[in-house]
Amino acid sequence: MILSLDRQIPLSTLSEINKYIHKVKIGYPLILENIEYLDDIVKLHWDEIIFDLKLADIDNTMVLIVSKFINYADSFIAHSFVGIEGALDKLSEFLKNQNKSLYLVLSMSHKGWNDEFYPYLKNIAKTIDPKGFVVGATRPNMIRIVRNDFRNKIIISPGVGAQGAMIGDAICNGADYEIIGRSIYESKDPVTEAKKIIETQEVKINECKRTEN
């Protein structure tokens, strides 16, 4: 599980959540709300801090943007549709030189996303060879397709909870991590909610394993 954090919550609460969820994805709203809070997030020693900037620009602009946050993040998310030459090629090269990782968006979780472009995105993904991909948990068929096309890449899946995807379904369809945010940080007791979600996910995964066997 990856915690999606788009707003500031008490550091003590975040520290407790970190005991159960060891990766965090940081969105623009939180960065714009309080950039100094990022220092506190880093001090919690997450297994991975992913900056979800949905980068989609020319190479120079994207490199300048990630340069501002290079000391905070382990990985960055970019859109794949911007293409390779003069865009993702230089971004990928820059991040590799900085010992940072890249995730490319192949399928988003909202209803308006069009997966007809996937063949084009897949070709870009094969060339760039990132750490992994973002594929919406609300699109289980696309998770299966991407897993079949990229068997050794990490798939992270947003859209669990508030956007309608059921906990554990993305994992059962081939994702490595599910991303959940509002269901945790908007709850009255985020720590307890995080524990419940992890338990629910484990039950679902075990059910899938039994079905496969």
Side-chain angles (χ1 to χ4, degrees):
M1 190 69 74
I2 297 173
L3 174 67
S4 176
L5 200 58
D6 288 320
R7 77 178 193 192
Q8 187 171 337
I9 63 175
L11 191 60
S12 58
T13 300
L14 188 60
S15 179
E16 285 299 308
I17 293 173
N18 178 253
K19 295 177 181 178
Y20 307 99
I21 300 177
H22 309 299
K23 295 175 182 278
V24 63
K25 180 176 75 71
I26 306 298
Y28 268 125
L30 178 57
I31 295 170
L32 296 174
E33 179 183 358
N34 184 1
I35 194 168
E36 294 179 356
Y37 185 65
L38 300 179
D39 290 314
D40 295 326
I41 292 175
V42 171
K43 291 175 183 177
L44 292 178
H45 303 293
W46 302 83
D47 288 349
E48 184 178 18
I49 299 176
I50 304 169
F51 264 44
D52 186 5
L53 305 179
K54 295 292 194 308
L55 296 160
D57 216 310
I58 64 169
D59 51 10
N60 185 66
T61 300
M62 292 193 290
V63 168
L64 286 175
I65 291 171
V66 298
S67 297
K68 301 295 183 181
F69 305 109
I70 207 73
N71 293 325
Y72 297 108
D74 301 298
S75 309
F76 294 86
I77 294 176
H79 272 295
S80 48
F81 63 73
V82 293
I84 299 169
E85 187 175 359
L88 293 174
D89 54 354
K90 297 300 182 183
L91 175 64
S92 177
E93 179 183 358
F94 174 79
L95 290 177
K96 287 177 180 177
N97 288 339
Q98 298 292 322
N99 293 317
K100 305 296 181 178
S101 299
L102 177 66
Y103 290 93
L104 292 180
V105 176
L106 290 183
S107 182
M108 292 187 70
S109 53
H110 65 291
K111 292 181 179 179
W113 181 265
N114 188 347
D115 282 315
E116 291 181 5
F117 297 105
Y118 176 67
Y120 163 69
L121 303 182
K122 179 175 70 172
N123 289 334
I124 291 171
K126 286 183 176 180
T127 301
I128 294 299
D129 191 31
K131 176 177 182 176
F133 304 108
V134 179
V135 184
T138 54
R139 298 171 181 268
N141 186 56
M142 283 306 302
I143 295 175
R144 291 192 294 271
I145 290 172
V146 174
R147 173 52 67 215
N148 184 65
D149 289 338
F150 299 94
R151 295 188 178 276
N152 298 317
K153 292 296 181 181
I154 295 173
I155 297 176
I156 60 177
S157 292
V160 177
Q163 285 187 275
M166 300 298 291
I167 298 168
D169 280 357
I171 303 297
C172 290
N173 282 284
D176 296 284
Y177 296 95
E178 293 178 324
I179 301 171
I180 191 163
R182 283 174 282 174
S183 297
I184 292 176
Y185 64 71
E186 289 184 353
S187 69
K188 293 182 180 179
D189 187 345
V191 177
T192 298
E193 188 65 24
K195 291 168 64 177
K196 288 180 179 178
I197 287 169
I198 292 296
E199 291 170 357
T200 300
Q201 187 190 55
E202 290 176 350
V203 170
K204 179 64 176 181
I205 292 171
N206 287 331
E207 288 177 354
C208 291
K209 289 180 178 178
R210 286 194 297 269
T211 301
E212 290 175 359
N213 295 331

